């Protein structure tokens, strides 16, 4: 088992993705799971082993035949404990078939895990000795539970750890230099609207960018997107970066913070209207704090804001945010370091851009409650006395609700729980009361149709926890 200790990238870390591609080319990659806190289904531990089993079954017929027998014996095997899932869905079939392969689990730190030592690593430690022909490649930031997991006595003898921060700096710098040179040279050939006939970028400029990257590929990739904006002259954008005199090689966070500050300043230079920044913080707050990524259409419905406003406010932030031209596709943050930067007042020092997350969670919770307040009985217009599985056009009927409303139904209580106990508290209590007076049963119908009826119980628990927090604050 190999643990790559370092920064994971967007969706897939660069190194894990490269490793997966190499293993795939050699027909060694059996299965992979790429964790992401942006997606509910990709941050829940219970989804890892069933996903790996599905991919292994798709790849190896022998494995599939064995797995089918397991599922026939226990139809609920995919919902069992993690140790049972690993044993029944992965270990026993692999052991019985003698398959040799590589399994990748990327960005394990992005999964929700309340155990002091990683739950996934704990169960792997108990069974990994039964898989001598299988190699696990796992990446993640060195958070305490991840470090503790790899130090477990049952797992440590089978583990080889690679620490990215101990890789020879000249080696990392050389890779970043190659990356920057390739990307910016390609950019120069693509921009036929500009005269880039001279050597561009210069070796001196590349050297400055490598130094400022301080070994962080995320800095380099953000620089490339910043310079490559179709709406700007890349020569001017490059100079904005290389002309800064501050040396950020002593600390990675300083380097990326400096770049993020530059991106934001450049995007909104010369703008004085307060409403622009009010809109921006509402939009960025929703994009950053969404528990599942939202599309532009979803944001329009959830925030009650015009689509053009969203496009305009985010137009010059494409180096840090993916904004698809398709309004129905999700808006994504390229790397979690950007939300971390925006939410930390000591890092994001400009109040025009800082996201006060408890306050923004409260604002989103209010919008969710207001949106759900418009639900009426039988919101999807279903025929009477039908079971959910008998509704042939259920997905189409659900789509008519709108992605913003569907998001609100699923996540209003979580935003409520994360909200400030002072900001918005009185308005949230009032909105919650109105919701329970007029829309609670239609909401439960939607949750049932979503196949997420257990979420009703979780929402009630979140609400009770929030009310206790509010009550203790008022009496404190």
């Amino acid at each position: 088992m190999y643990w790559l200790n370092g920064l994971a990238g967007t969706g897939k870390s660069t190194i894990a993705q490269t490793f997966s591609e190499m293993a795939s080319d050699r027909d060694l990659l059996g299965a992979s799971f790429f964790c992401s806190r942006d997606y509910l289904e990709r941050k829940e531990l219970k989804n890892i082993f069933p996903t790996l089993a599905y991919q292994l079954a798709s790849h190896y017929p022998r494995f599939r035949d064995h797995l089918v027998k397991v599922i026939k014996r226990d139809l609920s095997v995919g919902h069992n404990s993690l140790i049972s899932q690993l044993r029944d869905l992965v270990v026993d079939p692999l052991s019985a078939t003698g398959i040799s392969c590589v399994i990748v689990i990327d960005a394990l730190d992005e999964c929700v895990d309340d155990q002091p030592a990683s739950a996934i690593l704990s169960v792997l430690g108990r069974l990994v000795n039964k898989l001598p022909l299988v190699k696990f490649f796992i990446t993640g930031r060195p958070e305490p539970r991840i470090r503790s997991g790899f130090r477990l006595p049952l797992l440590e003898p089978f583990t080889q750890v690679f620490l990215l921060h101990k890789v020879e700096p000249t080696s990392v710098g050389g890779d970043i230099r190659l990356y920057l040179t390739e990307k910016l040279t390609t950019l120069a050939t693509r921009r036929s609207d500009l005269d880039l006939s001279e050597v561009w970028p210069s070796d001196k400029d590349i050297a400055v960018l490598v130094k400022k990257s301080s070994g962080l590929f995320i800095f380099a990739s953000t620089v490339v997107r910043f310079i490559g904006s179709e709406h700007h002259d890349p020569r001017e954008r490059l100079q904005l970066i290389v002309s800064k005199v501050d040396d950020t090689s002593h600390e990675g966070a300083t380097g990326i913070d400096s770049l993020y500050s530059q991106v934001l300043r450049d995007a909104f230079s010369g703008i004085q209207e307060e409403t622009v920044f009010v809109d921006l913080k509402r939009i960025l707050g929703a994009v950053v704090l969404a528990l599942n990524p939202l599309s532009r259409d979803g944001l329009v419905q959830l925030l009650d804001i015009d689509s053009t406003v969203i496009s305009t406010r985010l137009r010059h932030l494409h180096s840090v945010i993916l904004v698809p031209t398709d309004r129905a596709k999700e808006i994504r943050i390229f790397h979690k370091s950007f939300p971390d930067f925006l939410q930390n007042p000591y890092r994001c020092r400009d109040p025009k851009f800082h996201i006060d997350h408890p306050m923004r969670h409260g604002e989103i919770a209010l919008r969710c409650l207001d949106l759900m307040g418009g639900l009426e009985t039988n919101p999807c217009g279903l025929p009477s006395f039908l079971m959910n599985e008998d509704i042939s056009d259920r997905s189409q009927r659900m789509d008519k609700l709108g992605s913003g409303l569907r998001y609100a139904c699923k996540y209003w209580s979580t935003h409520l729980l994360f909200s400030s106990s002072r900001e918005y508290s009185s308005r949230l209590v009032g909105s919650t009361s109105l919701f329970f007076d007029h829309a609670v049963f239609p909401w439960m119908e939607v949750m049932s149709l979503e196949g997420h009826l257990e979420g009703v119980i979780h929402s009630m628990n979140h609400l009770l926890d929030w009310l206790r927090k509010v009550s203790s604050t008022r009496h404190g």
Side-chain angles (χ1 to χ4, degrees):
M1 179 176 297
Y2 301 94
W3 174 37
L4 182 65
N5 171 341
L7 289 175
T10 307
K12 298 183 180 182
S13 70
T14 303
I15 296 179
Q17 184 173 9
T18 302
F19 183 89
S20 297
E21 291 169 353
M22 290 171 59
S24 181
D25 289 343
R26 300 177 185 178
D27 201 29
L28 295 175
L29 181 63
S32 59
F33 188 95
F34 296 94
C35 311
S36 173
R37 69 174 183 175
D38 291 337
Y39 289 95
L40 182 63
E41 66 274 12
R42 287 170 58 187
K43 67 181 178 182
E44 292 193 347
L45 298 176
K46 66 180 183 181
N47 294 330
I48 293 180
F49 296 131
T51 301
L52 295 177
Y54 173 82
Q55 293 183 12
L56 287 165
S58 300
H59 196 180
Y60 304 106
R62 289 175 294 156
F63 185 98
R64 180 169 62 247
D65 293 341
H66 190 96
L67 184 63
V68 168
K69 296 176 183 178
V70 171
I71 296 173
K72 285 182 177 179
R73 287 198 307 266
D74 181 5
L75 294 177
S76 64
V77 63
H79 301 284
N80 292 342
S81 64
L82 289 178
I83 186 69
S84 296
Q85 285 185 354
L86 176 60
R87 182 187 62 242
D88 298 337
L89 296 176
V90 179
V91 172
D92 286 353
L94 283 173
S95 180
T97 54
I99 292 170
S100 177
C101 67
V102 173
I103 294 175
V104 175
I105 302 176
D106 184 34
L108 183 57
D109 57 289
E110 298 250 329
C111 279
V112 177
D113 188 350
D114 58 2
Q115 299 300 310
S118 167
I120 290 293
L121 298 178
S122 298
V123 298
L124 277 172
R126 294 164 63 179
L127 297 173
V128 72
N129 64 326
K130 296 184 178 181
L131 295 174
L133 300 178
V134 177
K135 299 296 184 184
F136 285 86
F137 187 81
I138 301 173
T139 74
R141 294 177 181 84
E143 294 182 350
R145 60 187 170 84
I146 303 292
R147 296 199 305 272
S148 298
F150 278 104
R151 290 172 183 158
L152 292 170
L154 289 173
L155 188 62
E156 192 170 22
F158 299 95
T159 304
Q160 184 174 353
V161 178
F162 298 93
L163 304 176
L164 285 186
H165 61 272
K166 290 188 177 180
V167 175
E168 183 63 36
T170 55
S171 176
V172 178
D175 290 341
I176 291 177
R177 176 185 298 276
L178 181 63
Y179 170 81
L180 289 168
T181 302
E182 171 67 22
K183 291 294 185 180
L184 294 180
T185 301
T186 301
L187 170 65
T189 60
R190 192 178 70 239
R191 289 297 295 266
S192 58
D193 57 317
L194 298 172
D195 180 12
L196 296 175
S197 54
E198 297 182 2
V199 177
W200 184 92
S202 68
D203 291 342
K204 181 179 178 180
D205 289 338
I206 292 292
V208 172
L209 293 179
V210 171
K211 183 177 181 180
K212 288 180 177 292
S213 296
S214 305
L216 292 176
F217 266 97
I218 180 58
F219 183 96
S221 62
T222 303
V223 162
V224 168
R225 288 193 297 270
F226 178 74
I227 295 172
S229 169
E230 295 181 0
H231 306 289
H232 298 83
D233 187 326
R235 295 166 298 189
E236 295 177 359
R237 303 279 273 191
L238 175 60
Q239 285 306 307
L240 284 173
I241 302 298
V242 301
S243 63
K244 295 167 61 179
V245 297
D246 58 308
D247 179 8
T248 63
S249 61
H250 64 286
E251 184 180 349
T254 303
I256 200 68
D257 290 357
S258 176
L259 180 59
Y260 285 150
S261 296
Q262 178 66 54
V263 168
L264 290 167
R265 284 197 302 270
D266 183 71
F268 297 95
S269 61
I271 296 178
Q272 303 296 328
E273 296 89 344
E274 184 178 350
T275 56
V276 170
F277 297 102
V278 170
D279 290 339
L280 177 69
K281 292 178 77 168
R282 287 187 67 210
I283 296 164
L284 277 182
V287 170
V288 164
L289 300 176
L291 300 168
N292 256 5
L294 288 157
S295 65
R296 206 177 339 155
D297 283 343
L299 287 174
V300 167
Q301 188 180 27
L302 181 65
L303 299 180
D304 190 22
I305 193 169
D306 190 86
S307 177
T308 303
V309 173
I310 296 174
S311 300
T312 302
R313 300 295 177 260
L314 300 182
R315 180 182 178 188
H316 296 301
L317 294 178
H318 288 209
S319 60
V320 289
I321 300 176
L322 173 64
V323 186
T325 54
D326 187 340
R327 293 176 38 154
K329 290 187 177 180
E330 298 156 343
I331 296 173
R332 297 289 308 280
I333 302 290
F334 278 114
H335 196 269
K336 75 181 293 291
S337 59
F338 185 55
D340 292 344
F341 165 78
L342 289 175
Q343 295 176 73
N344 189 327
Y346 300 102
R347 296 176 62 188
C348 182
R349 297 179 178 275
D350 191 331
K352 294 194 301 294
F353 305 116
H354 170 240
I355 302 298
D356 183 337
H357 52 94
M359 186 181 77
R360 293 297 161 188
H361 274 299
E363 180 183 62
I364 296 170
L366 264 180
R367 280 298 309 152
C368 288
L369 289 164
D370 289 346
L371 196 54
M372 292 188 300
L375 286 171
E376 298 179 352
T377 302
N378 193 9
C380 292
L382 300 173
S384 302
F385 310 114
L386 273 182
M387 301 293 287
N388 286 349
E389 57 268 26
D390 296 328
I391 305 169
S392 59
D393 60 345
R394 181 170 58 163
S395 61
Q396 292 91 332
R397 290 174 181 268
M398 296 296 293
D399 287 342
K400 291 180 180 178
L401 292 175
S403 57
L405 176 54
R406 295 176 68 177
Y407 177 91
C409 289
K410 287 184 180 179
Y411 300 115
W412 67 271
S413 66
T414 308
H415 287 294
L416 183 71
L417 184 63
F418 291 157
S419 69
S420 168
S421 55
R422 295 184 183 276
E423 297 281 348
Y424 293 109
S425 60
S426 59
R427 292 172 61 189
L428 282 167
V429 169
S431 292
T432 305
S433 298
L434 287 173
F435 166 66
F436 274 88
D437 286 342
H438 302 290
V440 67
F441 289 114
W443 165 64
M444 294 173 71
E445 288 185 64
V446 173
M447 294 293 278
S448 174
L449 291 167
E450 291 277 14
H452 195 52
L453 199 54
E454 72 277 5
V456 172
I457 304 299
H458 296 315
S459 294
M460 295 303 99
N461 288 331
H462 288 164
L463 177 59
L464 288 173
D465 289 343
W466 180 78
L467 288 172
R468 293 189 191 101
K469 183 173 68 172
V470 171
S471 178
S472 63
T473 302
R474 288 180 174 178
H475 294 90

